[in-house]
Amino acid sequence: MDFIDLKAQMAPLRNRIDARIARVLDHGGFIMGPEVAELEQRLSAFCGAAHTVTCANGTDALTLVLLAEGIGPGDAVFVPAFTFVASAEVVPLTGATPVFVDVLADSFNMDPASLDAAVGAARAAGLRPRMVVAVDLFGLPADYHALGRIAAAHAMIMVADAAQSFGAERSGKRVGTLADYTTTSFFPAKPLGCYGDGGAVFTDDGAKAELLRSLRVHGKGGDKYDNVRVGVNSRLDTIQAAILLEKLTVFPAEIEARQRVAETYGAAFSDMAALPVVPAASRSVWAQYTLRTPHRDAVIAACRAAGIPTGIYYPRPLNRQTGYADYPVAPGGVPVSERLATEVVSLPMHPYLSPAEQQQVVVTVRGALDPAKTG
Ligand SMILES: *Cc1c(COP(=O)(O)O)cnc(C)c1O
C-alpha cells in the first residue's frame, strides 16, 4: 500500500501526458511556452481567481508575495507554528521577522485569538505588523472570515498558504479567492501535483499580478534584459505545465474520491480518536487524513506490522526547530501546536485507495486503538 499512490493516478493518464510532453518537445518552448499561459487560464477558471501567476515551487510563490509587498526588516509576518517549514522560512530571507501563532486543535489551522494577541505583542516589541500567512493545513481552508477581520483591523495583507488545499472551498468560495493572495504548490505529493517542482500565486488584483509576473523573471520591464526592479528566477517549466493541464482534467473526480476515503475513515474511527473537523460550508481536499490520539505509537507500530505506511505531520512546531528558536511566539506560547506534535498521525490518503486497502487501514487502526489493547 502507498501513502500517496502517484503510479495509480498516472496509469489512465499516461498516454495523454506522453502526448502533451511530446508536443512540448516538438515546439521547443521549454521556458514560458504556450502551455504555461494555457494552464494559468485554466487554473483561474477552476478556482475563480482573476489572475494566476505560476512559478517554480510553492515556497517561491510565498517569496514572490513577500517581494511584491516589499516586506523587509522591522516587519512582522504572522505564521502558524504548526505547519511545514516553508510557510515561515521565506520571511527571515527578506529580513522580516516571523511571529509564531498557535493553531486550533480541531482544524489544525491558525487560531484568531492567538493571532490577535501576537499582533499586539509584536507592535509592543517595536515591529510593524504587515502580513498574515495562514496555512490551510491538511487541505482544509483556515477561518479567513475571522483571520481576515484581524488582518484588516491592522491594515495587514492576508495571505493563504494553500500548498495543501488547492481545490478546497469555504463558504461557497474556492481556495484562490479567500485572501488577498493565495499561494500553492504542485509538488508531486500535493493534491494537484506535477512531476517535479511547481507553484502558483492567485490574486484578484491585476496590478499585483503584473508585479508578480515581473518579479518571477528577474524584475523584468519590457523583457528580461530590461530590469526595472530586483527580482528572482522562478518560472514553471513548460513540461510541468503540460503535465498539470492533463492532471487538472481528472482533479474534480479525484477530490470526490478523496472525500469518500475521508468519510470511510471518519465513520470508522469516530469512537476511538479525535478526527479532523470540517466546518459546515467548507470542503477539504484531504491532503492528509490526520488523527489525534494519545496512542499514536500503537497505531504506527500496528500499521508498520501490516505494511501500511503512516506519517507524522509535524513532529515539532516551528518554534522548536533549531533554525527558528529565536523568533517571537504569541503571548502564552503555542500550547496547542506543542500538543498536536505529540498526538498526530496521518494515514494513507489518495484518490486511488481501493476499498480493500481502506478496509485494511480501518481494521488495523481500530485494532491498535482498541482500549483493551492500548490500555
Ligand atoms: C509543500 C508546502 C509548501 C512548499 O511547497 P514547495 O512546492 O515544496 O516549495 C509550503 N507550505 C506548505 C504548507 C506546504 O505543505
Side-chain angles (χ1 to χ4, degrees), residues 194-208:
C194 56
Y195 294 147
D197 279 307
V201 184
F202 306 93
T203 180
D204 285 340
D205 185 327
K208 293 295 185 187

Side-chain angles (χ1 to χ4, degrees), residues 57-59 83-84 86-87 135 161 163-164 185 187 190 197-198 314:
N57 56 68
T59 309
T83 179
F84 181 58
S87 310
V135 179
D161 176 352
Q164 302 181 9
S185 165
F187 183 84
K190 308 289 182 179
D197 279 307
Y314 294 92

Side-chain angles (χ1 to χ4, degrees), residues 101-183:
V101 176
D102 209 1
V103 298
L104 298 164
D106 58 352
S107 67
F108 303 109
N109 286 333
M110 187 182 272
D111 177 355
S114 179
L115 172 63
D116 207 26
V119 172
R123 211 188 282 286
L127 294 167
R128 277 186 306 275
R130 288 286 314 280
M131 183 178 279
V132 181
V133 179
V135 179
D136 302 343
L137 210 70
F138 306 145
L140 177 71
D143 183 353
Y144 291 101
H145 184 71
L147 297 171
R149 262 212 315 248
I150 296 166
H154 298 277
M156 293 190 288
I157 305 290
M158 186 77 226
V159 179
D161 176 352
Q164 302 181 9
S165 69
F166 188 69
E169 298 175 21
R170 185 180 174 90
S171 307
K173 290 173 78 181
R174 279 251 165 96
V175 163
T177 63
L178 297 168
D180 297 319
Y181 297 90
T182 301
T183 64

Side-chain angles (χ1 to χ4, degrees), residues 229-270:
R229 55 180 62 83
V230 176
V232 296
N233 174 15
S234 184
R235 299 165 299 220
L236 180 69
D237 290 346
T238 308
I239 285 180
Q240 299 302 341
I243 291 162
L244 284 165
L245 280 166
E246 287 307 323
K247 290 240 212 163
L248 194 55
T249 64
V250 297
F251 190 46
E254 290 187 341
I255 293 172
E256 292 303 319
R258 287 174 178 277
Q259 177 63 23
R260 286 194 293 274
V261 176
E263 284 167 11
T264 300
Y265 284 165
F269 305 131
S270 61

